[in-house]
Amino acid sequence: MEIGEAPDPVLAHGTVIVRVRAVALNHLDLWVRRGIPGLSLDLPHIGGSDAAGEIAEVGPGVTGWAAGDRVVINPSLWCGECDFCSAGEESMCRRFMVLGEHVTGAAAELVRVPAQNLWSIPDMLSFAEAAATPLVFQTAWRALMSRAGLREGDVLLVTGASGGVSTAALQIGKWCGATVLAVTSGADNVARVAELGADHVIDRAADDLRTAVRAATQGGKVDVILDSVGEGMWPDLIRCLDNNGRIVSYGATTGSAVRIDLQHVFWKQLQVIGTTMGSRAEFESVMKLVGDGTFRAVVHDTWALDRIAAAHAELEEGRVFGKLVLVP
């Protein structure tokens, strides 16, 4: 990774150019840098999916927005023409892309995005807080509310609880009326996760998962699991699910080649569900709750953008709780 100069983005029909005031890192940024199988990029590539700033220029065909407006960017990109887009399922678009993954991203002073991807930032929300919300909150919202059908009274278990999506999911779970179990590692992270409102926090480094779940739930049965860890935990996670339990996967930080004992799947009638990002309606629904203060982004720290290589290392080595935000 290096800091350099790139040509300024050029306006196109239906787009705006945003002057970036904050860009937040995700594990996606790490995966793109390492190389995702099947993803071919022109180099040098500018990463960064989550960003907030001010509109610098408005392109032809854009209405309702003006230079100087404070905005956050929805990083999902969809065609608007396929059968899934027509059904309001933009995250299943047959040409779905993500800002900073498939196309030039926002880890820069300026970025061009479709005007339909903008959301107005209320005055109460700082640029750093706004930048820390779009990818993680829409991912958690779709995973729990749309895909898993989380309901009041459910028991929800969230793995990797110090991460951005997980800190969003903890808040959504409590708001929904679920009992929330969170899995993290280390005493500091346990304390921080507890402060976010988790009912029970399990230290993966010190506790046996299934024993801890049994103690927390008086029977060891979980209705919904939201997982980003993958290979390292799936055998135990599947065993923790109750009849009709749902495990929702949105990542695999320890590997994707999971092993599943199908006897547990068919006997307990379990559901294994995948999820990615969110639809436009889901993004707007959860961002309204961010905007009114119901949910809040967890910002680990704010660094200068030219420290991006060190920021990648910080996230890669597990030293970030919530979101690390970079400022041009």
Side-chain angles (χ1 to χ4, degrees):
M1 301 187 72
E2 63 181 30
I3 304 299
E5 294 293 327
D8 286 352
V10 178
L11 281 172
H13 185 86
T15 68
V16 302
I17 292 174
V18 175
R19 187 172 304 283
V20 178
R21 298 301 187 189
V23 56
L25 286 187
N26 295 284
H27 276 89
L28 175 61
D29 297 292
L30 307 184
W31 301 332
V32 171
R33 173 175 53 78
R34 295 170 187 160
I36 297 175
L39 178 64
S40 178
L41 296 171
D42 293 329
L43 298 177
H45 175 73
I46 299 173
S49 301
D50 275 341
E54 300 156 333
I55 295 178
E57 296 181 65
V58 175
V62 174
T63 60
W65 297 102
D69 287 349
R70 300 173 75 246
V71 294
V72 65
I73 299 167
N74 180 353
S76 297
L77 302 171
W78 59 90
C79 73
E81 299 171 352
C82 71
D83 49 344
F84 284 109
C85 287
S86 297
E89 286 285 7
E90 289 88 354
S91 70
M92 292 187 178
C93 172
R94 299 192 182 277
R95 286 175 280 174
F96 185 76
M97 296 187 292
V98 178
L99 185 73
E101 179 181 1
H102 305 88
V103 301
T104 295
E109 294 171 309
L110 300 170
V111 63
R112 185 185 74 182
V113 296
Q116 66 182 2
N117 286 61
L118 301 179
W119 187 79
S120 182
I121 302 175
D123 292 339
M124 62 174 283
L125 211 58
S126 70
F127 286 125
E129 290 171 321
T133 59
L135 188 149
V136 298
F137 271 96
Q138 70 173 300
T139 298
W141 182 266
R142 177 176 178 82
L144 296 180
M145 306 305 292
S146 302
R147 302 292 282 158
L150 188 69
R151 300 181 293 270
E152 183 178 2
D154 278 348
V155 175
L156 166 68
L157 187 151
V158 179
T159 67
S162 64
V165 174
S166 297
T167 56
L170 295 178
Q171 298 176 61
I172 293 169
K174 292 302 297 178
W175 172 83
C176 190
T179 297
V180 179
L181 283 60
V183 183
T184 187
S185 58
D188 288 345
N189 282 345
V190 167
R192 291 172 178 171
V193 171
E195 289 176 2
L196 287 176
D199 296 289
H200 304 276
V201 185
I202 299 168
D203 187 345
R204 187 181 172 201
D207 304 324
D208 175 75
L209 177 65
R210 289 166 60 193
T211 301
V213 169
R214 279 195 296 269
T217 61
Q218 297 181 342
K221 299 302 182 183
V222 174
D223 299 296
V224 175
I225 296 174
L226 180 64
D227 178 58
S228 62
V229 175
E231 193 172 323
M233 294 188 69
W234 266 57
D236 284 333
L237 293 177
I238 293 292
R239 296 290 293 271
C240 289
L241 284 170
D242 198 1
N243 293 352
N244 194 37
R246 290 89 76 198
I247 182 166
V248 187
S249 171
Y250 67 95
T253 56
T254 64
S256 57
V258 300
R259 296 182 63 186
I260 302 176
D261 186 340
L262 288 178
Q263 293 183 82
H264 295 293
V265 175
F266 64 70
W267 186 251
K268 294 195 288 185
Q269 302 189 50
L270 305 181
Q271 300 177 52
V272 177
I273 304 169
T275 194
T276 296
M277 304 293 282
S279 69
R280 185 178 183 180
E282 288 163 339
F283 169 79
E284 292 176 354
S285 293
V286 75
M287 289 305 294
K288 288 176 183 176
L289 294 168
V290 171
D292 70 11
T294 300
F295 303 140
R296 63 180 183 86
V298 177
V299 177
H300 174 84
D301 206 350
T302 304
W303 292 5
L305 179 60
D306 60 11
R307 295 183 63 194
I308 188 168
H312 268 237
E314 194 83 354
L315 182 59
E316 202 157 31
E317 293 166 18
R319 296 196 294 263
V320 175
F321 185 87
K323 299 276 279 182
L324 184 55
V325 179
L326 305 173
V327 177

